Amino acid sequence: MNKSLFFAGGCFWGTEHFFKGIDGVVQTAPGYANGSVDDPSYEQVYTDTTGYAETVKVDYNPSRISPGKLVKLFFASIDPLSLNRQGHDCGTRYRTGVYYDDPSVLPEIRKEFAALERRIGAKPVTELLPLQNFWPAEERHRDYLDKNPEGYCHLPLSVFRYLRLYQDLGLMLEGESDPVARQAQTAALIAERMKFFWTGFYRVMNGHLVLGPFQGPPACFRIAYGKGVCGTAWEQRRTVVVSDVEKFPGHIACSSLSRSEIVVPVIRDGVVTAVLDIDSTSVGTFDGTDAVWLELICDLL
Ligand code: SME
């Protein structure tokens, strides 16, 4: 039996397209949730006086995906600290929220909200509320980005690429337990899909980071704790985004072509076991979207 959850994530064109890409989602419908007038039109909701949020009804097969996983992925598609604004769209109709019609999913969803709060270090403004009402949107809004592939989307395109990559990697890693083999496959898939200049792992071994599986030009073998971007991410146990390596004191230049970098710690049972390091030949390649999705990828490891 399929179940439903309702997600307000900003403009419903992009949010519907995002959920359509999730394995285990069987059907989606854009619409208007938790407002005050019956059967509102887009134009009415657009006035921002009806209380409605642009929302996507997501029908999913619970034997293929859990409500918690849906919420986790949803959080990687929104800015949970932005009140009544997502991307270029602002107004209460663009607030973010998770609405449920079956309270039995609440404990699992609350866990994801708590995990989100730990990750961002603040209370998200995203609502978690019972669904009061939902009216499907007009036909022209359904499957909008399939019908209009060049149409407006408030989400960066990298979100859709990362979603595919994350799900494919999850399937690939099933059944292989060797950590180096898993890192090797992860580096290869990220490099193939995202075409970064250098993508690889440094493993924590005897108090050092030691070069692990990677794709790209030869790199330095060892990095000390707290040194360079990699050693800093290890020491601070957090993702470090460097938009211009020349401005990062202590950056270790394995290649003079590298201009920006992101390093994500791989944490297992509270211990940093490795870091994922990605370099780009352009300045400013990485942002919060890369950080969130690469952290999800490192969680698979
Ligand atoms: N730049 C990294 C060293 C590793 S290479 O980028 C592959 C750092 O500063 O830690």
Side-chain angles (χ1 to χ4, degrees):
M1 256 279 269
N2 294 333
K3 297 179 96 184
S4 305
L5 265 178
F6 299 76
F7 294 93
C11 175
F12 54 18
W13 295 344
T15 303
E16 183 187 31
H17 198 65
F18 176 76
F19 278 103
K20 285 179 75 155
I22 296 180
D23 300 335
V25 168
V26 291
Q27 193 168 297
T28 54
Y32 313 107
N34 286 12
S36 58
V37 296
D38 277 358
D39 201 8
S41 67
Y42 182 77
E43 289 67 27
Q44 266 175 305
V45 173
Y46 204 82
T47 63
D48 223 29
T49 57
T50 61
Y52 280 104
E54 288 198 10
T55 298
V56 178
K57 176 174 190 262
V58 175
D59 298 338
Y60 62 97
N61 178 340
S63 63
R64 293 184 57 209
I65 190 161
S66 65
K69 182 81 176 282
L70 280 173
V71 172
K72 184 195 286 290
L73 293 174
F74 170 65
F75 286 156
S77 78
I78 59 166
D79 179 348
L81 290 173
S82 176
L83 185 64
N84 300 330
R85 175 190 286 273
Q86 292 295 308
H88 294 297
D89 304 307
C90 65
T92 57
R93 63 196 182 282
Y94 296 120
R95 66 186 182 272
T96 54
V98 179
Y99 311 118
Y100 52 90
D101 56 8
D102 167 11
S104 74
V105 296
L106 259 183
E108 197 176 328
I109 294 180
R110 286 214 178 99
K111 265 191 209 152
E112 292 302 326
F113 269 78
L116 172 67
E117 190 172 332
R118 280 197 300 278
R119 166 162 73 75
I120 62 181
K123 254 211 153 3
V125 299
T126 306
E127 300 177 327
L128 174 58
L129 292 170
L131 183 78
Q132 287 159 12
N133 52 11
F134 177 82
W135 301 91
E138 296 84 343
E139 167 60 34
R140 67 182 188 279
H141 296 295
R142 291 185 208 149
D143 307 314
Y144 182 86
L145 286 168
D146 292 324
K147 296 179 203 153
N148 305 278
E150 305 291 310
Y152 168 77
C153 182
H154 74 287
L155 295 171
L157 291 181
S158 59
V159 165
F160 302 104
R161 281 198 284 154
Y162 272 123
L163 173 62
R164 199 65 266 152
L165 165 59
Y166 172 78
Q167 297 185 117
D168 291 349
L169 184 63
L171 291 173
M172 272 180 159
L173 294 178
E174 265 173 31
E176 178 51 64
S177 59
D178 180 77
V180 173
R182 291 164 67 86
Q183 289 171 359
Q185 204 72 289
T186 303
L189 195 69
I190 296 173
E192 181 186 73
R193 296 283 176 89
M194 307 304 279
K195 315 251 181 274
F196 295 128
F197 172 64
W198 198 92
T199 303
F201 290 89
Y202 281 88
R203 297 159 300 142
V204 174
M205 296 182 89
N206 304 321
H208 264 80
L209 287 171
V210 181
L211 185 62
F214 71 94
Q215 301 272 319
C220 41
F221 275 119
R222 282 168 192 263
I223 300 170
Y225 184 72
K227 298 290 176 200
V229 188
C230 292
T232 302
W234 176 20
E235 181 179 40
Q236 299 185 0
R237 304 164 51 84
R238 64 172 182 91
T239 299
V240 179
V241 177
V242 177
S243 56
D244 181 348
V245 296
E246 278 169 25
K247 299 197 175 119
F248 187 92
H251 167 258
I252 300 164
C254 290
S255 161
S256 59
L257 293 175
S258 174
R259 286 278 168 274
S260 61
E261 180 162 358
I262 184 169
V263 179
V264 182
V266 178
I267 301 176
R268 197 162 179 175
D269 300 326
V271 177
V272 177
T273 58
V275 299
L276 168 62
D277 178 16
I278 301 180
D279 290 31
S280 159
T281 54
S282 317
V283 167
T285 296
F286 307 102
D287 61 15
T289 299
D290 299 280
V292 164
W293 284 95
L294 292 169
E295 284 169 17
L296 281 177
I297 285 170
C298 284
D299 283 349
L300 291 174
L301 299 168

